[in-house]
Amino acid sequence: MSYLDFFGLKEDPFKITPDPSFFYESLTHITAKNLLKYVVENGEGFCVIIGEPGTGKTTILRKFLSELPENYIYALILNPNLTPEEFLKTLLDEFMLPYDKDISKNEILKILKIFLLKNISKGIKTLIIIDEAQLMPVETLEELRLLSNLETEKEKLIQIILVGQPELEEKLKLPELKQLNDRITNKMFLERLSPKEVEKYINHRLRLAGGEKIKIDLEVYELVYNHSKGIPRLINVIMSKALMIAFLDRSLEIKPIHINSAVKSLSNKELESNVGFYHYLLIFILFLGIIIVLAYILLQTGGF
């Protein structure tokens, strides 16, 4: 008997790949999706969604895109570590616009403007959506700002959505990107799930996957929250491993021992990769503080 058959599951409820069909409407996730909807419906130029790794940014994005009306088209850039010229050519590729291999930047912009004006005349709205936007070079982000200048007397020709990790916020604060940052009036930071939301999240995914036969010890929810810190991706990793351990134990009930065994079986790398940016930032600040204190002591004692 397979793992899924044992639990009566139609599919893996805790796969880590972003799947909009498993979208859980926590307060922070539904707020982010509604913000995206508001921005595109009202013709706002920029929108930024920021969250730690594993907090569900890409899932929100895919859920939002799956619900877009037919009069919207978009270019979704998943690998934005591109030069300005590479980025503009990628846009042409995404919109399936033909161009010569040695096309100049000015010619690219002309093609894009004609394309966007035709879309507006047909009532079609055009979006540029960039995932992992913290990877974009500064000069390419500036090119994005210049691209946002394309507009008619009444509306923007294009709307831009940036989704990224906390490093994106720091990058946007750079002096070179002040003009871009000043234009971003719609920005949201994703929160981690609360203990109660972790419980609802787990049950939501089990229900969608057909896991009615599975029982969960109440202590499990608290353990999962403590180990995951409310990060959805890590919840999935822990619960997926715990289900497998329960299957080997021939238990239809997920117990604390299964969670503890799952956490022990995970490598430190798997756990640490989901702790998030702020954990490492704290370590850096503490380390920097120690260096400053030591330097001060050496100065006072004449050690330098």
Side-chain angles (χ1 to χ4, degrees):
M1 180 181 289
S2 73
Y3 159 79
L4 295 179
D5 290 337
F6 177 77
F7 290 114
L9 295 167
K10 297 178 290 187
E11 57 183 313
D12 182 359
F14 298 107
K15 53 192 173 186
I16 62 173
T17 53
D19 186 344
S21 67
F22 276 87
F23 181 74
Y24 169 65
E25 294 188 349
S26 70
L27 178 60
T28 192
H29 292 98
I30 196 64
T31 301
K33 186 168 77 74
N34 287 341
L35 175 62
L36 291 171
K37 184 179 178 181
Y38 165 82
V39 166
V40 298
E41 287 180 349
N42 289 275
E44 301 283 332
F46 279 95
C47 180
V48 174
I49 303 291
I50 293 175
E52 298 173 77
T55 48
K57 300 182 297 296
T58 303
T59 302
I60 291 169
L61 199 53
R62 294 192 183 281
K63 180 66 174 177
F64 163 72
L65 293 177
S66 71
E67 297 176 353
L68 273 179
E70 291 184 358
N71 64 319
Y72 286 85
I73 62 171
Y74 61 86
L76 176 59
I77 313 298
L78 300 175
N79 180 22
N81 187 14
L82 304 165
T83 66
E85 290 75 16
E86 290 171 338
F87 175 74
L88 291 173
K89 287 181 178 179
T90 299
L91 288 182
L92 293 181
D93 291 334
E94 285 289 312
F95 291 128
M96 292 184 289
L97 299 172
Y99 61 92
D100 295 331
K101 180 181 177 181
D102 299 322
I103 189 172
S104 69
K105 180 179 171 181
N106 284 339
E107 289 172 327
I108 292 176
L109 292 174
K110 285 179 183 178
I111 291 173
L112 282 172
K113 186 171 184 179
I114 291 171
F115 171 72
L116 295 172
L117 285 169
K118 284 182 178 178
N119 287 343
I120 288 292
S121 68
K122 297 174 183 177
I124 297 173
K125 293 190 175 184
T126 309
L127 311 177
I128 295 176
I129 302 165
I130 301 166
D131 200 3
E132 300 296 343
Q134 76 279 354
L135 300 176
M136 289 191 81
V138 170
E139 59 271 20
T140 307
L141 281 166
E142 175 61 12
E143 185 66 47
L144 200 60
R145 179 188 70 81
L146 296 174
L147 195 61
S148 72
N149 288 335
L150 297 176
E151 58 188 357
T152 66
E153 292 181 354
K154 295 184 178 180
E155 59 187 316
K156 293 281 185 183
L157 293 182
I158 202 160
Q159 293 173 269
I160 299 164
I161 296 170
L162 301 176
V163 179
Q165 296 179 20
E167 295 93 324
L168 175 60
E169 170 72 356
E170 297 306 309
K171 185 170 283 189
L172 290 172
K173 290 178 181 177
L174 293 173
E176 309 95 290
L177 295 175
K178 185 180 185 306
Q179 292 187 66
L180 171 60
N181 199 33
D182 288 345
R183 293 191 184 189
I184 300 171
T185 55
N186 295 285
K187 183 186 297 182
M188 181 180 170
F189 296 82
L190 291 182
E191 302 290 338
R192 301 181 183 192
L193 301 184
S194 68
K196 192 63 180 177
E197 285 177 325
V198 168
E199 177 180 344
K200 291 180 178 179
Y201 175 86
I202 291 171
N203 291 329
H204 170 78
R205 295 186 75 100
L206 284 173
R207 184 173 62 255
L208 290 179
E212 289 82 5
K213 290 168 61 177
I214 300 173
K215 296 180 181 179
I216 299 183
D217 185 297
L218 291 179
E219 191 179 338
V220 161
Y221 301 117
E222 183 179 355
L223 283 172
V224 173
Y225 173 76
N226 289 338
H227 288 297
S228 69
K229 308 304 183 203
I231 296 175
R233 183 188 299 160
L234 191 49
I235 295 171
N236 289 359
V237 170
I238 294 171
M239 284 301 299
S240 181
K241 192 68 117 175
L243 277 176
M244 182 58 68
I245 293 171
F247 165 65
L248 296 175
D249 196 27
R250 288 297 186 265
S251 172
L252 287 172
E253 181 179 15
I254 310 302
K255 304 173 184 178
I257 190 172
H258 299 138
I259 299 300
N260 290 329
S261 296
V263 171
K264 287 179 182 178
S265 70
L266 295 171
S267 68
N268 289 334
K269 185 176 180 180
E270 286 177 292
L271 291 170
E272 289 172 2
S273 65
N274 292 277
V275 170
F277 168 79
Y278 294 111
H279 172 78
Y280 296 105
L281 179 62
L282 178 60
I283 292 175
F284 172 75
I285 292 172
L286 289 173
F287 181 69
L288 185 62
I290 291 171
I291 291 176
I292 292 172
V293 170
L294 288 174
Y296 176 78
I297 292 172
L298 288 170
L299 281 170
Q300 293 299 311
T301 58
F304 279 145

